[in-house]
Amino acid sequence: MLRVSQLSCGYGNVIAVNELSFTVRAGEIFGLIGANGAGKSATILALAGLIDVIGGQVELEGQDITHLPTHQRVNAGIALVPEGRRVFADLSVIENLIVGATRMDRQCLDAGCERVFTTFPRLAERRNQLAGLLSGGEQQMLAIARALMAEPSVLLIDELSLGLMPIVVDECYRVLEALRIEQLAIVLVEQSTERIQQVANQISVLETGRVVWQGTGEQAARDSSIVEAYLGLK
Ligand SMILES: Nc1ncnc2c1ncn2[C@@H]1O[C@H](COP(=O)(O)OP(=O)(O)OP(=O)(O)O)[C@@H](O)[C@H]1O
Ligand SMILES: [Mg+2]
């Protein structure tokens, strides 16, 4: 589904990622982990078309989308849950969802909102509340829900767990598992392997823009001391 080959990208003259390759299919989760500054967000932003690709290729269902502008990628089925959620604080929950519904007809909006409210009952209860007044966990749910309103086939999630209590992280991961079962292809960025290794089909560890370790979630659990050393945790 999403095939990334030898991707290099960065910010102006700063090359943040060097020759990264991976494939993620419908119903799979690809995990990208690394310490601060490793190039995780740069990868996600390049896949969303928000920073320049310097080299390599990105294909979605066989179509070359390497240099496609962001709005066309959304139309092609790629949606972003950005680092730090970035919900629109001064808009209500439902207004945030409508902002995400770039591909939906007006007549389908209500049904689209109700669909995501089934996945996120807490958001349904708070549908008219300003997003800025939601808890961190609720804002993360809203960021995911807003992305789902674009009816994506590929979901890019930058730091799902960041700053959230373990119990809320558990809830986010339950949602992720449900989305995977619904056949989404998910690219998930985290700073540690702790949770991601339980769900990811494949994991790559980035260190200063290069892959230093890769394997399955199970292998990451088995080689945890090696992986943690790369992450600077040991
Ligand atoms: N706007 C920018 N302009 C120039 N360089 C940047 C910019 N944002 C990030 N960088 C640099 O690009 C590299 C990769 O950064 P990136 O944000 O992708 O890291 P990250 O793995 O997401 O880190 P974090 O865990 O802190 O979010 C770093 O060296 C960083 O300093
Ligand atoms: Mg980042």
Side-chain angles (χ1 to χ4, degrees):
M1 158 137 319
L2 182 74
R3 184 190 300 275
V4 176
S5 317
Q6 308 270 301
L7 175 73
S8 298
C9 60
Y11 306 89
N13 293 330
V14 179
I15 297 178
V17 177
N18 271 291
E19 301 188 347
L20 172 67
S21 299
F22 66 88
T23 302
V24 55
R25 296 176 186 82
E28 284 185 0
I29 297 176
F30 171 73
L32 189 62
I33 61 173
N36 290 125
K40 306 180 300 295
S41 293
T43 303
I44 291 286
L45 294 174
L47 296 177
L50 291 165
I51 63 169
D52 290 338
V53 170
I54 299 162
Q57 198 180 36
V58 182
E59 284 170 275
L60 181 64
E61 285 170 43
Q63 186 199 348
D64 185 349
I65 61 159
T66 316
H67 299 289
L68 214 60
T70 300
H71 67 280
Q72 286 181 21
R73 286 181 204 229
V74 177
N75 287 339
I78 297 185
L80 169 68
V81 180
E83 187 176 335
R85 358 274 192 220
R86 304 286 187 99
V87 297
F88 299 103
D90 297 334
L91 299 183
S92 69
V93 164
I94 208 142
E95 286 165 343
N96 269 271
L97 294 180
I98 291 169
V99 171
T102 49
R103 300 206 289 165
M104 239 177 241
D105 291 340
R106 254 168 185 282
Q107 302 93 297
C108 300
L109 271 180
D110 286 346
C113 288
E114 292 311 319
R115 222 174 17 248
V116 297
F117 285 148
T118 314
T119 313
F120 302 100
R122 276 245 287 279
L123 294 181
E125 291 165 21
R126 290 160 176 72
R127 63 178 73 202
N128 295 314
Q129 188 170 314
L130 291 182
L133 300 177
L134 297 175
S135 71
E138 289 162 353
Q139 290 191 13
Q140 186 63 286
M141 307 265 175
L142 179 55
I144 298 169
R146 180 181 59 188
L148 292 177
M149 289 295 285
E151 303 182 305
S153 53
V154 177
L155 197 56
L156 309 172
I157 306 179
D158 196 351
E159 307 231 8
L160 183 64
S161 309
L162 191 72
L164 301 180
M165 282 165 45
I167 191 167
V168 180
V169 174
D170 288 347
E171 210 175 322
C172 288
Y173 269 86
R174 271 198 297 277
V175 166
L176 213 64
E177 194 58 47
L179 295 176
R180 182 239 290 273
I181 289 166
E182 284 177 25
Q183 294 302 299
L184 257 81
I186 299 171
V187 179
L188 176 60
V189 159
E190 289 280 26
Q191 285 205 8
S192 79
T193 48
E194 200 181 325
R195 296 304 312 271
I196 203 170
Q197 68 195 14
Q198 294 161 23
V199 298
N201 300 83
Q202 281 290 318
I203 290 180
S204 288
V205 179
L206 273 185
E207 192 180 60
T208 54
R210 289 186 188 278
V211 174
V212 288
W213 187 93
Q214 57 188 354
T216 61
E218 282 159 22
Q219 285 167 336
R222 217 176 310 133
D223 292 353
S224 62
S225 56
I226 300 171
V227 173
E228 284 173 12
Y230 282 127
L231 294 170
L233 299 174
K234 282 208 165 163

